[in-house]
Amino acid sequence: MSSRSVADAIVERIRGLVEEYIVAVTTRDSIMVKYANGEVTVTQAWRDYITQVYMAKDGKVTASTFTSKDPCGGCS
């Protein structure tokens, strides 16, 4: 899943419901490596999607930030 597809899905849901909107999606790839007795014991990779949404309608404004984790098994 790409940042663009996440943003497009959100825009499809809010388009027409509000007068103004801004959707920003940032991805962050992380890798964790655990060592025990000088050797690697566990590796884990994941991708976070940080989604920021701003919406305005009839003079009312709201802004929210959401973070979701997507296991990606290597995050290339």
Side-chain angles (χ1 to χ4, degrees):
M1 180 182 295
S2 69
S3 297
R4 179 64 185 251
S5 63
V6 172
D8 288 344
I10 294 168
V11 168
E12 283 297 315
R13 290 182 178 256
I14 63 176
R15 182 181 286 143
L17 299 175
V18 295
E19 296 165 358
E20 296 178 22
Y21 59 87
I22 298 171
V23 177
V25 179
T26 305
T27 58
R28 178 179 53 210
D29 292 338
S30 300
I31 298 174
M32 176 182 66
V33 179
K34 291 184 181 178
Y35 290 90
N37 298 323
E39 295 184 18
V40 174
T41 58
V42 177
T43 60
Q44 183 178 4
W46 64 92
R47 175 171 290 140
D48 291 323
Y49 293 95
I50 301 98
T51 305
Q52 298 171 304
V53 181
Y54 160 91
M55 296 178 285
K57 183 175 182 177
D58 299 330
K60 297 177 184 175
V61 175
T62 186
S64 297
T65 300
F66 306 93
T67 302
S68 62
K69 193 170 288 187
D70 179 21
C72 58
C75 298
S76 54

